[in-house]
């Protein structure tokens, strides 16, 4: 495996939230990072600026993760800019919370397009282009185990992601490439905090044995392990939630 100073990572959803924390941590580990973002150019530029201010190398690429041509172009950019791809982190995702009876099928399709198709498209490209010693890290959620009302469609989309990982790990036998899935619990990001009252957030934090919500850095720490020294972890889903579920 090449040293971190020569390694190149693609982080989808890397402009905000957990994705940004992951991108910044991988840069701190010495990797060059290509951030894929869906539409918020301002946030993407801010993340690249933070990376460069920290002495790292990063570039932002607008890409719809569910679009095959866009994902191909994303990998092309990483190879042209930095020489190859060693780490792919599939952090892009959307969450729509409603009871099953109230969820519009257009909302269902939009969520699954990003969370399931998007993960699959990026994973397929990664399978063909990761260098030996590389790793693919997909993102699920601890909600797949919590079985909370209003989370059914979201949890179903992430359960599909969990199913993909161990199968792809076996299909890549002999390539020296690991495939794992990280499943965060409640984490203080814009995606999680949206439309939740302060009282509800306090309640959720208090239910955790650690007495708080997760932080982006908590999740990034695990990604850093999987993207670096954790080579004997393969085909697994790691629940990173402070013991919440």
């Amino acid at each position: 495996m090449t040293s971190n100073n020569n390694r190149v990572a693609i982080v989808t959803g890397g402009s905000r939230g957990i994705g940004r924390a992951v991108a910044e941590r991988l840069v701190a580990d010495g990797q060059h990072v290509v951030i894929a973002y869906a539409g918020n150019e301002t946030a993407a530029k801010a993340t690249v600026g933070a990376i460069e201010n920290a002495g790292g190398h990063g570039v932002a690429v607008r890409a719809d993760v569910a679009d095959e041509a866009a994902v191909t172009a994303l990998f092309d950019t990483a190879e042209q800019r930095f020489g190859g791809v060693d780490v792919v982190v599939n952090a892009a995702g959307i969450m729509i919370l409603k009871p099953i009876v109230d969820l519009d099928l257009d909302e269902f399709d939009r969520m699954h397009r990003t969370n399931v198709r998007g993960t699959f498209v990026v994973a397929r490209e990664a399978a063909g282009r990761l260098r030996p010693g590389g790793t693919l890290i997909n993102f699920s959620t601890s909600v797949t185990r919590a079985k909370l009302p209003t989370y059914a469609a979201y949890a179903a989309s992430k359960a599909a992601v969990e199913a993909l990982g161990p199968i792809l790990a076996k299909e890549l036998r002999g390539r020296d490439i690991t495939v794992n899935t990280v499943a965060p619990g409640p984490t203080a990001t814009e995606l999680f905090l949206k439309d939740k009252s302060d009282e509800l957030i306090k309640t959720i934090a208090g239910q955790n044995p650690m007495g708080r919500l997760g932080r982006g850095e908590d999740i990034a720490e695990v990604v850093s392990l999987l993207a670096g020294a954790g080579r004997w972890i393969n085909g697994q889903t790691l629940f990173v939630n402070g013991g919440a579920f």
Side-chain angles (χ1 to χ4, degrees), residues 143-155:
V143 171
T144 57
R145 300 298 183 270
K147 302 176 178 63
L148 300 175
T150 75
Y151 280 84
Y154 177 67

Side-chain angles (χ1 to χ4, degrees), residues 115-200:
N115 296 357
V116 182
R117 178 186 167 95
T119 296
F120 187 91
V121 171
V122 173
R124 186 178 66 171
E125 196 70 19
R129 298 175 73 162
L130 279 168
R131 295 188 284 202
T135 188
L136 169 65
I137 301 165
N138 295 320
F139 264 73
S140 179
T141 170
S142 290
V143 171
T144 57
R145 300 298 183 270
K147 302 176 178 63
L148 300 175
T150 75
Y151 280 84
Y154 177 67
S157 73
K158 292 301 189 176
V161 171
E162 290 182 25
L164 184 153
I167 295 172
L168 182 55
K170 292 178 180 179
E171 291 178 349
L172 294 177
R173 177 187 297 272
R175 294 269 307 281
D176 190 24
I177 293 171
T178 62
V179 182
N180 291 291
T181 303
V182 172
T187 305
T189 65
E190 180 183 349
L191 180 67
F192 175 79
L193 297 175
K194 183 180 178 181
D195 298 327
K196 291 183 176 67
S197 67
D198 291 343
E199 182 179 355
L200 177 58

Side-chain angles (χ1 to χ4, degrees), residues 30-152:
Q31 301 197 34
H32 307 317
V33 175
V34 178
I35 293 167
Y37 68 98
N40 192 328
E41 184 178 5
T42 300
K45 287 183 175 180
T47 301
V48 171
I51 287 171
E52 292 177 343
N53 288 339
H57 300 281
V59 62
V61 178
R62 184 168 184 168
D64 176 356
V65 292
D67 184 306
E68 181 180 4
V71 170
T72 297
L74 170 66
F75 278 74
D76 288 345
T77 297
E79 291 180 347
Q80 292 162 6
R81 184 70 178 266
F82 298 121
V85 180
D86 302 285
V87 175
V88 175
V89 182
N90 251 326
I94 62 174
M95 180 170 64
I96 301 171
L97 303 181
K98 289 183 181 180
I100 292 173
V101 70
D102 295 328
L103 186 70
D104 187 272
L105 287 178
D106 287 341
E107 295 175 314
F108 180 91
D109 290 342
R110 181 161 64 90
M111 186 159 49
H112 279 246
R113 185 179 187 277
T114 296
N115 296 357
V116 182
R117 178 186 167 95
T119 296
F120 187 91
V121 171
V122 173
R124 186 178 66 171
E125 196 70 19
R129 298 175 73 162
L130 279 168
R131 295 188 284 202
T135 188
L136 169 65
I137 301 165
N138 295 320
F139 264 73
S140 179
T141 170
S142 290
V143 171
T144 57
R145 300 298 183 270
K147 302 176 178 63
L148 300 175
T150 75
Y151 280 84

